[in-house]
Amino acid sequence: MKKGASAEAGPAEGAAPAQARPAGKAAATTGAAAKKAAAAKAGSAKKAAAAKAGPAKKAAAAEAGSGKAGPAKKAGAPAGPAKKGAAAKAGPGTKGAAAKKGAAKETGSVTPVPAAKVSARGESRVAMVRRARRINRELAEVYPYAHPELDFRNPFELLVATVLSAQTTDLRVNQTTPGLFAAYPTPEDLAAANPEAVEELIRPTGFFRAKTKSIMGLATALRDEFGGEVPGRLADLVKLPGVGRKTANVVLGNAFGVPGITVDTHFGRLVRRFGWTEQQDPEKVEAEICEIFPKSEWTMLSHRVVFHGRRICHARKPACGACPIAPLCPSYGEGETDPEKARKLLKYEKGGFPGQRLSPPPDYPGLPAPPLGAG
């Protein structure tokens, strides 16, 4: 019985390990399955997270592309100041270039639209033209009697007087020409004159030898080439000895009624102070000023500006404190700004003194100039 029992028991005991082994394998299999399931769940979770994160990233990228600052960029904001600091160190040029690139990206255009041209004084061309024309209107009110300050009775006298006015004052010319024209009233008379006699008559104007050569030369040309008459064309006038564009424009504007800009030292100085031009060459100054004003204003504009330069806006010490157009002048402050002191700098009729012409126009409010030797 014991043997049978043991025999019966043996297999039962032996069967137990046999059954246990499959159970271990099942456990291992179950564990692996669990691990695989966990891994699968984790993978699914990651995929789900990635799937969720994908649209967010795309949205952030879309926002970044559209120029909007999304929440994702805000999270990385600390890097911004460092970049800004680097840009600041890079200098204005780099900053300007970055700004231009940024503008190009935002607008989608490669070439930005150019801004309006700005002058050296920070004023647009349109604003400068408006201010210039307003100054002209103001000067017209201040000097309604503006006129050429050379005495003359005909184109020939004006031509000769203008040539003589180089390197001297109009007053000195006006004091000299009465004797000259009394002796030689026509081009034919002057062309046939004794050079030494002419030199003596015009000596007070300075450079009398060179000037004698010029006025006798132009008188000869008028006699021989133009029938003793002063031509009314710029191209003809500038061919005469001693006659340039300035002299030609004076004659055309005041003897023939042909508009022209007269660029003398006063005119050139003031238009640069007014910020109308930066040119120094008279012909370039003339060209730029002609573009600012209508042709009908050219001759009177020249008189008004020259009048203002001789009376108030002096070369060395302008009377800024007594200037009626001071609010429109970008150079205000170059001269005396105290009103009382500035008034003492005024000349001619503005300062209560005689003018430059011995025979001024009837509407001139000042006193006529005295003859040569009278004071």
Side-chain angles (χ1 to χ4, degrees), residues 226 231-240 243:
F226 298 98
R233 296 196 319 140
L234 179 67
D236 293 329
L237 285 168
V238 295
K239 293 178 182 177
L240 300 174
V243 178

Side-chain angles (χ1 to χ4, degrees), residues 342-360:
R343 274 193 285 271
K344 295 178 181 178
L345 300 173
L346 303 183
K347 295 182 178 179
Y348 304 114
E349 77 281 355
K350 291 301 182 182
F353 305 106
Q356 297 204 78
R357 291 187 66 165
L358 277 65
S359 301

Side-chain angles (χ1 to χ4, degrees), residues 136 139-140 143-149 152 158 245-264 267 271 276 286 289-290 292-308 310:
N136 182 40
L139 291 178
Y143 307 106
Y145 47 84
H147 57 268
E149 294 193 88
F152 69 98
L158 179 58
R245 288 186 65 90
K246 184 198 85 170
T247 299
N249 281 330
V250 169
V251 174
L252 290 173
N254 298 285
F256 293 98
V258 178
I261 295 288
T262 302
V263 184
D264 67 356
F267 189 91
V271 295
W276 297 354
E286 178 186 346
I289 302 306
C290 284
I292 298 173
F293 298 92
K295 193 173 183 178
S296 59
E297 287 291 312
W298 290 353
T299 299
M300 288 309 300
L301 169 72
S302 300
H303 292 324
R304 293 165 192 152
V305 172
V306 171
F307 255 62
H308 192 61
R310 287 174 171 169

